[in-house]
């Protein structure tokens, strides 16, 4: 009935790893819930994750790693994270860390934030898949947005169907709830999501109180919790069909006079993959001090894109 479900045999894990390398989507078991994975280096594949989930916004994704060393490449050095990783990884604990300068992470994976979210899952299939792919795997839970997280391969297939190339079947997830998310970007550790590892266990280990977030990262109880997305410094005008001469014009689809085009063929996944990089490029222009962007359809991935640029344009 579900032709994209494959038992997690070594051969099938190898095939799945090849698909990740080629820019495909693979659903895989972890100890918490199934993840919908793509290479963290492939913007189009990451855009396809958002499309498959039908997410109306770009949420930051967890980068799944198999070796602690990856932290050094992506995240600013953090003693607490290293100590916690040594104790609880692989396991259902996710860190939000400051992004290291010149890190190779994609803006789309981080949703344009200056943070990177990382975990090492405690499941042999997940770890093998990451190792064989040779890249960290960006993955949210493998379900449509606003629906319950999947704990079996069949749940994934029922929720996402043909949108996933390969669903690796590793049986039911043992933990069954998502990982605990700990924000370590401030001196005070903050719990962003309760999950597989209890708050008290972490407090005991760190020997400090952990603040509990009110659960809405866009309406923080303390200012440090605000999701700070990348917004251009240059004023951004959106839904523009005719740009002014002093505006750097980012086009979409058939578009006269665009300096850069998110997707000449009006492909929303291609456009989403380019969005953050183009905003940065536009910002770096010295001969233009303003940015204008063509209208982007408010369907599919276009919804998340419009949410993002609307907020970026409000910053000024
Ligand atoms: O157990 C898990 O964590 C599973 C498995 C697949 O690893 N993954 C998972 O990912 O639950 P996801 O994307 O469904 O949930 C992660 C949550 C999202 O609500 C996201 O907005 C939040 O974590 N998040 C990620 N990075 C964040 C950041 N830098 N700041 C605030 N919230 C963040
Ligand atoms: Mg989820």
């Amino acid at each position: 009935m579900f032709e994209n479900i494959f038992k997690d045999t070594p051969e099938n894990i190898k095939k799945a790893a090849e698909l990740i390398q080629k820019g495909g989507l693979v659903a895989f078991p972890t100890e918490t819930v199934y993840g919908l994975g793509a290479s963290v280096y492939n913007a189009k594949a990451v855009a396809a994750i958002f499309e498959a989930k039908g997410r109306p916004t770009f949420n930051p994704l967890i980068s799944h790693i198999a070796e602690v060393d990856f932290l050094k490449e992506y995240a600013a050095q953090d003693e607490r994270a290293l100590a916690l990783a040594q104790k609880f990884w692989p396991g259902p604990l996710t860190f939000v860390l400051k992004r290291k300068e010149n890190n190779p992470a994609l803006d789309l994976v981080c949703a344009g934030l200056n943070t990177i979210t990382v975990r090492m899952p405690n499941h042999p299939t997940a770890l093998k898949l990451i190792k064989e792919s040779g890249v960290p795997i960006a993955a949210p839970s493998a379900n449509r947005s606003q629906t319950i997280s999947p704990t079996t391969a069949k749940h994934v297939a029922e929720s996402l169907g043909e949108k996933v190339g390969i669903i690796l079947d590793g049986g039911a997830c043992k933990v069954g709830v998502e990982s605990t998310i700990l924000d370590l970007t401030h001196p005070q550790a903050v719990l962003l999501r309760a999950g597989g590892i209890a708050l008290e266990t972490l407090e005991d280990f760190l020997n400090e109180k952990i603040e509990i977030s009110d659960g809405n990262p866009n309406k923080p109880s303390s200012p440090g919790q605000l999701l700070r997305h990348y917004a251009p410094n240059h004023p951004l005008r959106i839904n523009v069909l005719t740009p002014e001469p002093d505006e750097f014009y980012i086009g979409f689809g058939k578009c006269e006079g665009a300096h850069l085009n998110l997707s000449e063929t009006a492909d929303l996944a291609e456009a989403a993959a380019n969005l953050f990089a183009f905003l940065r490029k536009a910002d770096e222009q010295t001969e233009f001090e303003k940015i204008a962007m063509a209208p982007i359809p408010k369907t599919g991935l276009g919804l998340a894109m419009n949410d993002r640029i609307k907020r970026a344009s409000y910053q000024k």
Side-chain angles (χ1 to χ4, degrees):
M1 183 171 147
F2 298 114
E3 283 172 9
N4 51 352
I5 297 184
F6 298 89
K7 178 95 195 76
D8 59 350
T9 60
E11 300 78 52
N12 287 335
I13 294 176
K14 191 156 171 271
K15 272 187 208 147
E18 283 164 9
L19 185 60
I20 293 273
Q21 287 165 351
K22 280 192 284 188
L25 298 188
V26 171
F28 60 97
T30 79
E31 80 280 33
T32 58
V33 299
Y34 275 72
L36 178 62
S39 162
V40 294
Y41 302 127
N42 190 315
K44 248 189 129 166
V46 174
I49 290 180
F50 288 105
E51 187 168 46
K53 283 188 65 87
R55 265 191 179 171
T57 55
F58 292 127
N59 281 349
L61 300 179
I62 299 173
S63 294
H64 293 72
I65 61 177
E67 274 150 44
V68 182
D69 267 5
F70 269 113
L71 277 185
K72 293 195 193 121
E73 242 180 279
Y74 293 99
Q77 171 97 3
D78 187 303
E79 293 307 323
R80 286 173 303 182
L82 289 178
L84 285 162
Q86 208 159 37
K87 173 81 179 166
F88 298 102
W89 277 3
L93 177 61
T94 298
F95 306 130
V96 176
L97 298 166
K98 283 195 184 126
R99 256 164 98 175
K100 194 174 139 183
E101 264 180 61
N102 301 324
N103 67 80
L106 285 175
D107 271 326
L108 195 55
V109 172
C110 305
L113 301 169
N114 290 322
T115 55
I116 174 113
T117 310
V118 193
R119 101 173 177 99
M120 189 188 291
N122 188 15
H123 194 294
T125 301
L127 292 171
K128 251 190 241 162
L129 178 69
I130 299 164
K131 281 189 187 146
E132 293 204 14
S133 305
V135 295
I137 295 183
S141 50
N143 53 299
R144 298 274 304 169
S145 192
Q146 315 280 315
T147 64
I148 295 164
S149 289
T151 52
T152 65
K154 192 161 160 268
H155 291 165
V156 178
E158 283 166 354
S159 190
L160 297 173
E162 301 299 303
K163 294 191 165 79
V164 197
I166 294 179
I167 302 171
L168 283 175
D169 187 351
C173 301
K174 288 211 176 88
V175 176
V177 294
E178 293 97 337
S179 61
T180 301
I181 303 183
L182 203 56
D183 181 349
L184 295 174
T185 58
H186 309 286
Q188 160 89 67
V190 179
L191 182 83
L192 296 182
R193 178 175 75 186
I197 289 189
L199 176 68
E200 297 75 16
T201 309
L202 298 175
E203 287 184 328
D204 283 350
F205 179 79
L206 286 175
N207 201 18
E208 65 175 64
K209 232 23 228 150
I210 294 172
E211 192 180 314
I212 299 173
S213 143
D214 67 357
N216 183 350
N218 288 312
K219 283 212 196 86
S221 55
S222 68
Q225 286 171 245
L226 188 64
L227 278 187
R228 293 190 70 86
H229 289 268
Y230 175 76
N233 292 313
H234 294 173
L236 169 67
R237 202 158 68 89
I238 56 177
N239 297 319
V240 175
L241 289 171
T242 322
E244 303 291 335
D246 64 344
E247 286 175 324
F248 184 87
Y249 189 39
I250 302 177
F252 176 85
K254 281 211 174 65
C255 206
E256 291 274 315
H259 295 99
L260 283 173
N261 197 318
L262 290 164
S263 169
E264 284 177 6
T265 57
D267 173 350
L268 285 168
E270 184 185 11
N274 285 328
L275 180 67
F276 289 104
F278 282 15
L279 282 175
R280 283 192 201 270
K281 270 194 201 145
D283 227 6
E284 285 162 9
Q285 304 295 320
T286 44
E287 63 270 46
F288 296 92
E289 294 199 340
K290 294 178 183 170
I291 309 169
M293 195 178 282
I296 293 162
K298 294 189 175 65
T299 55
L301 267 183
L303 275 182
M305 295 180 72
N306 274 291
D307 167 76
R308 230 13 243 110
I309 56 175
K310 204 168 131 200
R311 285 195 275 153
S313 69
Y314 278 173
Q315 304 273 325
K316 287 281 150 190

